[in-house]
Amino acid sequence: MSPQTTPIADTAQDLELAERLLAPDGTRLSNPGLDPFVADVDAAQLRSLHRDMVILRRIDAEGVALQRQGQLGLWAPCNGQEASQIGTARAIDPIDFVFPSYRETGVIYARGAQPGDFVRVWRGEEGAPYDPMQMRVAPLQIIIGAQSLHAVGYAMGIKHEKAPEVAVTYFGDGATSQGDVNEAMVFAASYRAPVVFVCQNNHWAISEPVALQSQYPISGRAPGFGIPSMRVDGNDVLACMAAMRWALAHARSGKGPAFIEAVTYRMGPHTTSDDPTRYRDPAELESWKGRDPIARVEAFLRGLGEIDDEQIAAALADADKLAREMRAECLGMVTREPLAVFDNVYAEPHCGIDRQRDEYAAYLSTFEEA
Ligand SMILES: Cc1ncc(C[n+]2csc(CCOP(=O)(O)OP(=O)(O)O)c2C)c(N)n1
Ligand SMILES: [Mg+2]
């Protein structure tokens, strides 16, 4: 046998290597591997996926606007990633536990986040944006890739307790270069932990293009850890749902972890603190506009005669309503006094925290008017 010499670097980012059910123009493609996983998805369900994506895009736009108006410290936009988030998250069972990164606004929306939950943490009001146990979603993780280890640890617990749950973790393309994600995959495979890894390859890790750090498709790494994987078109909501159902069924059946690479694109900046025009070719952005995930499912539904202008207008109206509620919640939040940040760090009094509180109080007092 000759050594592998395929020029893989050239094909690593080739979208044609991804599984899909809907072409960018909304044509339904047959896919024997994925079709059985969405055989039950009827027009009503497709309309509801479309509606969720429309609402998510509106939540995202409101988050950016609130940040620009000084109401939030930061916002991490997810526009362009609606299908990869809604399609996968809508497949997750309520009993499962999700470990997201900071960009998964659509995932928390699909898990039942309330209007204020989208902004609380970005406004710096609380440590967690929602009740993690009630939503069965861990707090948004800022440390790149750390949540993958938390998910695997949780999944090992599920296995120990013989519970029917699955742990799901979301991370980005850049995170796959972190030790944490690789260590998580080793542990998951070794212990056959019921965990699904969802990598949203949005092509950028801040200003680093994915091509630089993945010379081979990211999904192709997982089998090297002993984890079956699928590379799916992340702008195809139906394919994302099918892929996720495959991965969840695999993990739930006791066969161990599964890995999904959803190939998508971050249409906006990394966060509201970033200017992508400094590092990104405008032609690249332009080319991805032709693969818009919402337009794709809308075109499919229109082709079936299963969505009309009135239904689209209703989805937009629902989105505006949620955005108004989100804004009202945000503006109504009562910011805690600064020293409250030291409360609830430990259950019992702690001399280290007491010292830090005193130091900070002394610092704050220097701003008091004489
Ligand atoms: C451990 C760690 N290193 C560096 C950072 C700074 N940082 C924040 S986001 C980011 C890029 C992450 O890219 P990716 O994993 O592709 O996720 P995306 O932001 O594209 O969703 C980096 C390096 C961090 N938050 N944590
Ligand atoms: Mg990325």
Side-chain angles (χ1 to χ4, degrees):
M1 211 166 92
S2 60
Q4 163 130 32
T5 52
T6 320
I8 44 188
D10 296 343
T11 58
Q13 308 316 324
D14 187 350
L15 203 60
E16 297 312 312
L17 295 176
E19 303 288 336
R20 61 167 65 105
L21 290 169
L22 298 177
D25 67 359
T27 309
R28 178 71 162 88
L29 307 168
S30 100
N31 182 320
L34 288 186
D35 283 332
F37 289 99
V38 285
D40 63 304
V41 178
D42 58 12
Q45 287 188 64
L46 280 164
R47 270 195 303 274
S48 119
L49 289 167
H50 170 268
R51 177 181 175 274
D52 277 358
M53 290 162 70
V54 167
I55 289 176
L56 173 56
R57 188 163 289 183
R58 187 66 185 84
I59 292 171
D60 198 62
E62 196 68 13
V64 173
L66 283 165
Q67 194 283 333
R68 296 298 187 228
Q69 292 160 2
Q71 296 298 334
L72 303 178
L74 190 73
W75 183 263
C78 66
N79 57 323
Q81 299 181 219
E82 291 88 355
S84 65
Q85 296 200 7
I86 297 295
T88 56
R90 285 273 305 263
I92 304 171
D93 199 277
I95 62 165
D96 299 334
F97 211 105
V98 182
F99 296 79
S101 88
Y102 44 83
R103 205 180 296 285
E104 269 74 73
T105 308
V107 176
I108 67 167
Y109 166 74
R111 297 291 284 178
Q114 296 302 300
D117 299 346
F118 299 110
V119 287
R120 195 165 291 112
V121 103
W122 300 112
R123 201 175 150 93
E125 301 293 0
E126 297 286 343
Y130 40 76
D131 179 344
M133 298 313 288
Q134 187 248 320
M135 258 172 56
R136 301 189 69 71
V137 183
L140 307 178
Q141 180 58 260
I142 303 283
I143 304 166
I144 302 302
Q147 71 277 18
S148 61
L149 287 169
H150 306 159
V152 173
Y154 187 92
M156 287 162 69
I158 295 174
K159 183 157 187 184
H160 182 70
E161 291 180 355
K162 299 188 171 57
E165 296 166 45
V166 171
V168 176
T169 180
Y170 285 84
F171 48 84
D173 45 290
T176 62
S177 298
Q178 288 284 124
D180 283 8
V181 172
N182 292 273
E183 289 152 20
M185 289 205 276
V186 169
F187 268 85
S190 304
Y191 290 91
R192 289 197 171 220
V195 55
V196 173
F197 297 95
V198 182
C199 174
Q200 285 180 89
N201 173 359
N202 64 6
H203 280 74
W204 291 90
I206 313 185
S207 54
E208 290 297 340
V210 65
L212 182 72
Q213 45 188 316
S214 70
Q215 299 289 310
Y216 192 75
I218 291 170
S219 58
R221 294 186 201 170
F225 291 91
I227 302 174
S229 71
M230 192 181 292
R231 187 169 214 246
V232 68
D233 183 332
N235 286 11
D236 173 350
V237 72
L238 194 58
C240 286
M241 177 174 260
M244 193 64 181
R245 284 177 168 183
W246 159 76
L248 289 163
H250 178 90
R252 218 181 297 282
S253 69
K255 292 186 199 139
F259 187 104
I260 292 173
E261 177 193 0
V263 186
T264 180
Y265 195 78
R266 190 195 82 205
M267 296 301 286
H270 172 68
T271 66
T272 45
S273 300
D274 166 63
D275 175 8
T277 63
R278 305 265 305 256
Y279 54 81
R280 210 158 66 169
D281 179 357
E284 184 184 279
L285 185 66
E286 219 36 57
S287 77
W288 279 89
K289 283 187 184 158
R291 300 187 189 124
D292 184 84
I294 300 180
R296 187 178 306 199
V297 70
E298 205 169 290
F300 176 50
L301 281 163
R302 275 197 193 276
L304 295 174
E306 289 288 358
I307 203 164
D308 56 27
D309 292 347
E310 212 173 301
Q311 286 163 321
I312 292 169
L316 288 166
D318 288 348
D320 282 340
K321 179 169 173 287
L322 203 153
R324 276 196 302 277
E325 289 166 0
M326 180 176 152
R327 172 170 290 268
E329 284 277 333
C330 180
L331 302 185
M333 281 175 188
V334 180
T335 301
R336 294 168 301 168
E337 56 103 9
L339 291 174
V341 76
F342 298 101
D343 297 348
N344 306 321
V345 176
Y346 292 109
E348 304 286 329
H350 188 284
C351 61
I353 292 291
D354 291 345
R355 197 189 65 239
Q356 288 177 37
R357 184 189 291 106
D358 291 347
E359 282 172 7
Y360 193 48
Y363 171 72
L364 289 176
S365 72
T366 64
F367 295 95
E368 280 167 18
E369 288 185 44

